[in-house]
Amino acid sequence: MIIVALTGGIGSGKTTVANMFKNLGVPVYDSDKEAKDLMMSSKKLRKEIKALLGDLAYKDKTLNREYIAQKVFKDKGLLKQLNEIVHPAVRKDFLKWAKKQGAAYVIQESAIVFENKQEDFYDKIILVTAPQEIRLERVIERDNVSKSKIMDRMGNQLDDEDKIKMSDYVIDNITLDETRSKVKEVHGLLLKDSGV
């Protein structure tokens, strides 16, 4: 089984592309969603996150995402420490999940593969890209947040130019038809690589 990363900057449309792969029958693991679930369900993670960010990281036993975002997106050191707590737990959970899938390849959707120096974990990497203006529009519409908050997050992610050099496939996600066509093409190549 081939282990594939699906990555891209905020607002690039990773989830849209992930759903297109799901529609082709490919198992997709959503790292962001699973990380949030683990941050809620794991007593060990809760304890470590509270030790790092304080008791306000949880509000009524629920993850206080706004508070955490305010703390970490302006402090790269703090963000790195939080990632060092959460990412090994997500990696372990992903590998357990992948073993249960009976597919030619599986995809782990993860925003920060390169930023966390995790590219060696994967057999292939798919990068989703889109022009910055389109990405900003998408995130403002989706999350109802200010441009400056999005720019803070973008500042914590590598530029697409750097990521393209390290990726096996690039899907430029501007129009849905073109994106769908590129997803089918990459799907065919991955099936071929897996020997199916």
Side-chain angles (χ1 to χ4, degrees):
M1 180 193 290
I2 295 177
I3 305 284
V4 180
L6 176 67
T7 193
I10 184 168
S12 60
K14 284 181 303 299
T15 303
T16 299
V17 171
N19 287 333
M20 289 178 182
F21 277 103
K22 278 184 199 169
N23 290 340
L24 294 170
V26 180
V28 177
Y29 180 97
D30 181 342
S31 295
D32 198 34
K33 178 191 170 297
E34 298 302 333
K36 286 175 190 124
D37 289 352
L38 287 166
M39 287 162 86
M40 287 295 302
S41 63
S42 164
K43 284 182 182 155
K44 181 180 180 283
L45 285 185
R46 284 171 85 109
K47 194 174 158 190
E48 289 178 33
I49 291 164
K50 279 185 180 181
L52 178 68
L53 301 172
D55 288 342
L56 289 175
Y58 290 87
K59 193 166 57 180
D60 305 326
K61 298 200 176 189
T62 304
L63 201 60
N64 188 346
R65 290 172 57 191
E66 202 171 304
Y67 168 81
I68 292 171
Q70 281 173 350
K71 295 277 281 190
V72 301
F73 287 118
K74 288 198 184 293
D75 184 336
K76 285 186 179 182
L78 211 51
L79 178 61
K80 186 175 184 289
Q81 285 176 279
L82 179 64
N83 285 339
E84 283 166 0
I85 292 169
V86 177
H87 286 280
V90 172
R91 178 76 189 154
K92 197 172 159 186
D93 189 61
F94 166 72
L95 290 172
K96 204 166 85 180
W97 170 87
K99 279 186 182 144
K100 295 176 188 166
Q101 309 306 314
Y105 71 95
V106 295
I107 290 177
Q108 181 175 12
E109 181 187 342
S110 176
I112 47 180
V113 170
F114 300 113
E115 291 80 355
N116 284 338
K117 311 236 179 300
Q118 293 182 328
E119 51 269 33
D120 292 343
F121 288 159
Y122 304 97
D123 301 307
K124 298 285 181 186
I125 298 175
I126 301 167
L127 174 67
V128 182
T129 62
Q132 190 177 41
E133 278 312 303
I134 291 178
R135 290 169 55 198
L136 282 167
E137 277 171 34
R138 287 174 181 165
V139 181
I140 289 168
E141 196 176 305
R142 181 189 73 196
D143 297 348
N144 199 15
V145 289
S146 69
K147 187 174 177 176
S148 66
K149 278 188 178 174
I150 302 163
M151 294 305 286
D152 283 345
R153 290 187 191 181
M154 284 182 171
N156 287 313
Q157 296 183 337
L158 284 176
D159 287 335
D160 281 348
E161 289 72 39
D162 296 322
K163 292 192 268 197
I164 286 168
K165 293 173 197 155
M166 297 183 273
S167 300
D168 297 284
Y169 308 104
V170 178
I171 296 176
D172 205 18
N173 180 29
I174 299 168
T175 71
L176 285 176
D177 285 345
E178 282 177 33
T179 301
R180 200 171 286 111
S181 163
K182 187 68 181 171
V183 164
K184 284 180 182 165
E185 181 191 322
V186 171
H187 176 62
L189 292 168
L190 285 166
L191 288 177
K192 202 169 141 190
D193 278 351
S194 70
V196 168

